[in-house]
Amino acid sequence: MNSYALIPFLPLAAFVINILFGRKYLKENAHWVSILAVAGSWVLAVMALMDVLNGNKINFDLYTWMLSGGFKVSVGFLIDQLTVVMLIVVTTCSTLIHIYSVGYMHGDTGYYRFFSYLSLFTFSMLMLVMANNFLQLYFGWEGVGLCSYFLIGYYFDKKSASDAGKKAFIVNRFGDFGFGLGIFVVFLTFGTVYYEPVFSQASSLAEATYNFLGYDVHLMTLIALLLFCGSIGKSAQIPLHVWLPDAMEGPTPVSALIHAATMVTAGVFLVARCSPIFSLSETALMVVALTGAITSLFAATIGLVQNDLKRIIAYSTVSQLGYMFLACGVGAYTAGIFHLYTHAFFKALLFLCAGSVMHAMGGELDIQKMGNLKKYMPITYATMLIASFSISGIPGLAGFFSKDEILWMAYAGESPVGKFVWAIGTLVAFLTAFYSFRLIFLTFHGKFRGTHEQEHHLHESPKSMTIPLVLLCVGAVAAGWVGIPALIGENIGVHNYIAEFMKPVLGHPEGHGTHGEEMVVMLISIAVGLAGIGLAYFMYIIRPELPDRLAQQFQAVYRILFNKYYVDELYSFIIVRPAIWTAKNVLIGITDGHIIEAVVNGVPSAIAALSSGLRKIQTGLMQHYATIMATGILIIVAIMLLR
Amino acid sequence: MVPLHWYLTLSAAVFMIGMFGFLTRRNIIIMFMSVELMLNAVNISLVSFSHYLQDLRGHVLVFFVITVAAAEAAIGLAIIISLFRNKQTAHVDEMNEMKG
Amino acid sequence: MLQQLFFGYYAFAIIILSLLVVTRSNPVHSVMWMLLLFFHIAGLYLFLNAEFIAAIQVIVYAGAILVLFLFVVLLLNLREELSLRQVAGSWPSAFFIVAGLFVVVTAALGSYVPGPVGAYSIAAVRSETHVKALGKLLYTEYLFPFEIASLVLLVAVVGAVVLAKRKLRS
């Protein structure tokens, strides 16, 4: 049973080997270590899945990390249904993306460095999902944040990349601050940071309040919202979403692994993991649902007009993450995790396809300069098309089932904002289909709009890249089949396996609607998906001049969307510039210049002045020392004898 | 019968003379002899204590003091020789390498 | 009365000789006065029924240590140094410190209370002889310190040789 501890530690070992021996000895073979390690983790994860399917729940402490009075934290692992799903997602995506990176990163100077960071990331992510206490979760949380920073800024000689890395790290600080406070409050309330006692005691404290500065705050709401702060940062929700699009400066496999499939979903995982706490607070759930809904709409509208291939997908990720929070917020944690799981496949696939396109286009990212790539890159085209169908919610594909589950739960659930977020979700489904196919049509259809040189260079990517694409494509198609809703499942004789599987951990709220209503909701979501695709086809294939005319006509709206609602500018104005002003004028000018420097220079010069006086005592003559010693003896003897 | 005080006063007087010599003389050999003088002063008081308290332990101690004094004299004079070899002098005024 | 007279003579001679030792400018003279001083101290020991101590005082101090001193003094040839100032300029302060210490120590003598008397009365030591009594003590109760003392002497021998010998390669 303890062999499951190897799941995170295999990638850690790979990291250590690569970072120590990569530069000198492994060089172009660095990927072998990492891939073998992560594949080993995958095998163990599958074994863990089998174990959990057999009804086992694994919870063990590896060793005591800290012990201080009543505060005890171990490095320990909890493997239950939720963990196992995350394990499968993380190790599968990670393995495939490791393989993809062999082709994508080929010939890069920092080849070993890239793979060692990937391994470190995988280790941190696995520590995060497998933790059995909040502190280890936090360790993994910060670990993935660090690796994200490393990997976004992987091309550190490029200023925009290193800036983006810093931005991601700093923006996450805001969220993690809240998360850290949340863990403090958990410890303050429960006296422990282990999941099991915390969650089992939570319901007995459902009505507890905490007096903060004279206000009685509902304790569970406080904890839930503080923890959710971390989720907002890590999963790029409003208002901390600004880092994720910029994070696309990193290599594409990184975008796929970290910024689509795994790390950014950690926030959703956190909410699901803490569902016993969130469920006790209606306010917190509502905040989660509304944040998710608004973010998904917000990001989807921005995605409509962007021209950067990877950024469109990034906004799509933000939007889909909003969907997951929306699901959690209406109490449908299972649906959220289910979407997380399907999303990992089709979104990683979208990113990897984008990487493949970039590879062919020589790093070009502007979709206005592409076109007709389907002729040159059939495999990439086919897989990306399927991924787009999946994300648009075409029936039968993975995205359909999870998205439909979310919308139905929002519509039928008990949440007071359920109907509202359902409406937003449906609108977002339409927008998602539209911008996804805008991307497809502009990239792969029409005429090629790039330079001749680029056209000459176009080619399908090597096998090491296309094979992971195909494998992920299988996931994007079939991953949803474990969660076929009862409405359809009854007719073809399958259950909603994932809902049953997750029930012990996350519960499974039953919808209050009839089959008829469910059918209507499903049909609406199919219809808006198809409508979105149709509109994209109309605007970019049949009438390609239309988008420009619309942009002209609705210039103000277009500008706001194109500039991402000016959020970056707003933050720059209210946070970054005041901070820099303060740093320059107050910290450098006054604190550093007049206070610190005065102390730093004053202390040594005072010591120097004092010692230049004192050193005269040191004559170097033995008899002076002896005389002083005799004086001392006289004083001591006098005190002792004449007392 | 001579009282113990007299011996102790004598011992103190010799000790102080030795100390005075050590603190004021500049010839390192005479300083060294002053140290021997102080050791002898201590020996006098030890022996007289032993006599008056009818206990031989003082004698044992004197025995050890003389042993150590012999060792110290050997080492100390060897140091003086090597010092003299380097400095060509036995004057402690010339030895102020530790001056600050 | 005779005892006091004897003590008076020895005490007077010891103090005068000590003063001579520390005040002579020529170290050879100092060594000579010291030789005389050690004989007087040995006489005082006899007076205190410590024959063995008196014997080693003469043998070790006068016979060995002082000869070593004399040897070194002659070896170093300090003739031209005799013309230099022999006393440190700060001697008055040293004098006051030493005098103060002397006053303090002698003033404290009045409050001295002798402890219980031990087993070695003068008669007992006499009947056993001093050497035998001391030897018994040294080889039983003080065996370990005695061994250590021998080790100290060994170290001193080796150390003196190492320090004083000329460097072979120079």
Side-chain angles (χ1 to χ4, degrees), chain A residues 391-409:
Chain A
I391 198 176
S392 305
I394 297 304
L397 301 178
F400 167 73
F401 295 109
S402 55
K403 186 179 270 190
D404 183 63
E405 182 84 359
I406 291 174
L407 290 174
W408 169 238
M409 285 297 168

Side-chain angles (χ1 to χ4, degrees), chain A residues 209-355:
Chain A
T209 56
Y210 179 71
N211 194 299
F212 179 72
L213 298 178
Y215 295 97
D216 278 337
V217 186
H218 185 225
L219 195 55
M220 288 305 135
T221 307
L222 180 69
I223 294 175
L225 287 181
L226 284 174
L227 294 177
F228 186 57
C229 281
S231 295
I232 288 178
K234 193 66 64 195
S235 295
Q237 297 297 291
I238 281 181
L240 299 179
H241 65 285
V242 288
W243 66 271
L244 187 55
D246 284 19
M248 297 304 130
E249 293 287 349
T252 307
V254 170
S255 308
L257 177 62
I258 302 186
H259 305 120
T262 55
M263 183 188 85
V264 290
T265 61
V268 182
F269 167 76
L270 175 65
V271 174
R273 176 52 89 201
C274 300
S275 59
I277 293 177
F278 279 83
S279 299
L280 294 173
S281 166
E282 205 158 285
T283 325
L285 278 183
M286 212 152 79
V287 170
V288 173
L290 289 177
T291 308
I294 293 168
T295 307
S296 67
L297 180 63
F298 181 84
T301 50
I302 297 174
L304 294 178
V305 297
Q306 298 299 312
N307 286 327
D308 184 312
L309 179 63
K310 279 175 74 183
R311 270 169 212 246
I312 296 172
I313 307 176
Y315 278 110
S316 157
T317 306
V318 175
S319 173
Q320 296 301 310
L321 288 167
Y323 242 78
M324 296 171 207
F325 281 112
L326 187 157
C328 293
V330 297
Y333 303 103
T334 307
I337 292 295
F338 183 34
H339 195 55
L340 185 161
Y341 154 75
T342 55
H343 172 259
F345 290 103
F346 60 72
K347 188 50 63 69
L349 177 55
L350 279 175
F351 267 118
L352 295 187
C353 289

Side-chain angles (χ1 to χ4, degrees), chain A residues 615-616 618-623 625-627 630-631 633, chain B residues 19 22-26 31 92-93 95-96 98-100:
Chain A
R615 61 190 275 199
K616 296 209 172 70
Q618 300 290 335
T619 54
L621 292 177
M622 187 193 344
Q623 282 167 323
Y625 300 123
T627 308
T631 316
I633 292 171
Chain B
M19 196 162 167
F22 183 81
L23 293 182
T24 53
R25 292 305 300 263
R26 288 168 148 182
M31 284 171 70
V92 286
D93 285 14
M95 299 165 196
N96 59 352
M98 298 281 279
K99 187 170 164 54

